[in-house]
Amino acid sequence: MYSEKVMDHFSNPRNVGEISDANAVGTVGNAKCGDIMKMYMKIENDIIVDVKFKTFGCGAAIATSSMATELVKGKTVDEALALSNKTVVDALDGLPAVKLHCSVLAEEAIKAAIDDYKQRRGEKTESHECHGDCPHCAHAHHHLPQNE
Ligand code: FES
């Protein structure tokens, strides 16, 4: 049911933890299952020099976040914003259809962290800033309060 890569990233997740001096932190929740994801980044000159995540989530959420952090590490903020959950799922050789929603958590957590980074710098954030009104939000997930 799960690919070898998914099993590897689930059993051996990369980049788990916190970054104490992170300058980008995003927390998102998945309303469908109640799972929570928190993403920490250290960004220097618009390059993601370090990234870590913590999740209260299922195995698919752990595996996709692990892969997503690997994919954005060393990348620019814009490159990370362009990362879709589909790219992450493809990099893991696929996920069962019923678990595809889990991969959205990683993508949204990355975007939330970068929004936080931009807000701290006084920059305008992109339209993906969540107000709970995007098409997929209504049935899939929503941002949690930042103090979560
Ligand atoms: Fe909640 Fe997978 S079941 S993220």
Side-chain angles (χ1 to χ4, degrees), residues 2 8 12 20 43 46 54 57 59 67 70 109 119 121 131:
Y2 289 110
D8 176 33
N12 236 325
S20 55
I43 303 176
D46 280 353
K54 285 206 314 200
M67 178 56 90
E70 290 278 271
Q119 272 165 16
R121 291 160 55 94
H131 300 293

Side-chain angles (χ1 to χ4, degrees), residues 47-123:
I47 308 275
I48 299 166
V49 294
D50 200 9
V51 52
K52 292 203 188 302
F53 76 95
K54 285 206 314 200
T55 187
F56 183 82
C58 72
I62 292 169
T64 46
S65 307
S66 169
M67 178 56 90
T69 55
E70 290 278 271
L71 292 174
V72 300
K73 203 186 246 185
K75 297 279 166 46
T76 65
V77 164
D78 286 343
E79 285 169 334
L81 282 176
L83 182 76
S84 72
N85 70 313
K86 184 174 182 319
T87 306
V88 178
V89 170
D90 286 349
L92 286 168
D93 294 338
L95 270 180
V98 292
K99 302 303 283 180
L100 278 177
H101 74 272
C102 312
S103 64
V104 177
L105 211 51
E107 179 192 323
E108 289 297 313
I110 287 170
K111 289 184 163 67
I114 292 175
D115 265 3
D116 177 49
Y117 168 73
K118 291 189 171 187
Q119 272 165 16
R120 290 184 199 210
R121 291 160 55 94
E123 287 178 29

Side-chain angles (χ1 to χ4, degrees), residues 28-36 101 105 136-144:
V28 291
N30 190 326
K32 196 162 177 175
C33 57
D35 290 351
I36 296 168
H101 74 272
L105 211 51
H136 51 282
C137 257
H139 55 80
H141 56 91
H142 59 90
H143 282 231
L144 295 174

Side-chain angles (χ1 to χ4, degrees), residues 2-18:
Y2 289 110
S3 73
E4 272 178 36
K5 280 190 191 165
V6 172
M7 291 311 292
D8 176 33
H9 279 263
F10 165 62
S11 329
N12 236 325
R14 299 10 166 216
N15 307 310
V16 172
E18 296 180 25

